[in-house]
Amino acid sequence: MDDPVLRVQSQLTARDRVLLGWLYDHGVLTSFQVAHALFPSLDFCQRRLRILYRLRLVARFRPQRADGGSYPYHYVIDQLGAEVVAAGRDERPPRRDHARVERRRWTSSRTLEHRLGVNGFFTGLAGYARTHPDVRLGEWLSEAACRRLGVFTRRGDPALVRAYQPRVRPDGYGLWVTGGRVVPFFVEYDTGGEPLSVLTGKLVGYREWFAAMGRAWPVLFWLHSAARERNLRRMWAETPPLVPVATGARDHATAAGMCPAEAVWAVAGDGGQRSTLADLSAWVLDDRDPTREAA
């Protein structure tokens, strides 16, 4: 019997497989995010996405704007695409309604803006790495992947893996590699809707988590605005965080034409000087090579 997964395999490029994996793991990406992260031009990207759409590897939708018109195409995994990813990872095939459920989830989700913001953070890093051969985004884990029991705990410590469940839920984890510097980090993507005290309270959970892991990595707060960043840092001036944490403001970065890889990060307790993501390697407290983190 003809296997559609086998039939389509020969038509896929390495870049297609990366994209399908991202959609499977991270839910939804806009055409602009895909183009920036993986392609030399938007036109080239759109042509390839149309091919993947016709092959039924990806599906798409266009949310309507409240003031008229529509947003760019938003892409999600289609059922065949999900089966291709699972087969490539030697995983159990997804449920038959996997793609339908995912598509419905994002076309009707009130958290779509937040998810696109988180994914935009990481595709911004991937796009920077695409045009800077000396750096790479070595790993990108979703919120769901970060919650898997034991993902970040020490190998060979099964008791800790069974016993500890983090109180915090990072919006994502990444591994930034440049030259001899490696920066594992967690991301907290802020939409401006939570009180600053809630953001500060998350650091208690990170402190407990880092103590359980036996290592501490920078927590990056990617904030809604520069004004909100200033207010948060005033709170931390009175009660300094007990974990490595840095802040950046999206409006400041956009105005300066910079992305999260560049000098947009101010480390708490370090006088407010802006650092690049690679510079944050100085704040990694680890006793082993983080490039060996379990995926």
Side-chain angles (χ1 to χ4, degrees):
M1 184 175 182
D2 186 26
D3 186 336
V5 172
L6 294 178
R7 187 174 65 247
V8 80
Q9 291 279 11
S10 63
Q11 302 180 59
L12 296 178
T13 67
R15 179 165 46 197
D16 294 336
R17 295 179 188 279
V18 170
L19 173 58
L20 294 177
W22 283 356
L23 292 176
Y24 189 78
D25 292 336
H26 304 290
V28 57
L29 294 167
T30 69
S31 54
F32 291 132
Q33 290 174 338
V34 176
H36 179 69
L38 296 173
F39 289 85
S41 73
L42 178 60
D43 184 61
F44 185 9
C45 171
Q46 290 173 330
R47 289 200 304 270
R48 191 60 192 168
L49 285 170
R50 283 194 292 270
I51 291 172
L52 298 179
Y53 175 71
R54 287 197 294 269
L55 291 171
R56 298 192 174 183
L57 292 163
V58 301
R60 64 189 186 185
F61 63 95
R62 295 184 78 169
Q64 298 299 307
R65 294 181 182 272
D67 55 354
S70 60
Y71 289 97
Y73 275 121
H74 290 43
Y75 285 85
V76 295
I77 199 76
D78 210 341
Q79 188 65 29
L80 181 56
E83 292 171 4
V84 166
V85 172
R89 296 176 178 178
D90 198 24
E91 295 177 353
R92 179 181 299 177
R95 291 171 42 178
R96 292 184 179 182
D97 63 347
H98 176 89
R100 180 179 60 82
V101 171
E102 283 293 294
R103 184 163 58 249
R104 178 179 296 175
R105 175 187 180 190
W106 295 116
T107 54
S108 61
S109 175
R110 288 180 291 182
T111 63
L112 176 62
E113 179 184 358
H114 183 267
R115 175 57 65 95
L116 287 174
V118 175
N119 291 352
F121 178 97
F122 283 97
T123 54
L125 292 179
Y128 184 90
R130 179 177 59 81
T131 57
H132 294 75
D134 57 328
V135 301
R136 64 185 176 90
L137 179 60
E139 196 166 12
W140 170 16
L141 298 183
S142 67
E143 176 188 336
C146 289
R147 294 203 306 270
R148 290 176 193 149
L149 204 60
V151 154
F152 299 110
T153 49
R154 299 175 186 275
R155 295 170 188 253
D157 193 350
L160 181 58
V161 169
R162 288 194 301 269
Y164 189 73
Q165 181 67 46
R167 290 174 53 193
V168 289
R169 297 171 57 178
D171 291 320
Y173 163 86
L175 189 70
W176 191 241
V177 183
T178 171
R181 293 183 289 181
V182 178
V183 185
F185 61 88
F186 292 110
V187 173
E188 290 287 342
Y189 183 88
D190 168 58
T191 60
E194 290 183 315
L196 294 179
S197 59
V198 172
L199 302 187
T200 297
K202 293 180 180 182
L203 297 180
V204 176
Y206 277 107
R207 181 186 178 190
E208 294 174 354
W209 195 8
F210 292 157
M213 290 197 300
R215 58 186 67 94
W217 301 326
V219 180
L220 308 183
F221 281 83
W222 194 225
L223 295 159
H224 176 67
S225 67
R228 189 164 166 85
E229 181 186 22
R230 287 192 297 271
N231 291 335
L232 183 60
R233 294 182 66 82
R234 287 193 192 103
M235 290 182 64
W236 290 348
E238 298 175 2
T239 308
L242 298 177
V243 299
V245 58
T247 59
R250 296 194 295 279
D251 60 353
H252 169 264
T254 299
M258 294 192 289
C259 78
E262 298 175 284
V264 298
W265 299 107
V267 177
D270 196 34
Q273 180 178 350
R274 298 288 172 176
S275 301
T276 67
L277 183 54
D279 292 334
L280 300 184
S281 62
W283 299 88
V284 174
L285 305 176
D286 207 334
D287 59 2
R288 66 182 183 87
D289 180 3
T291 61
R292 298 179 59 195
E293 273 303 308

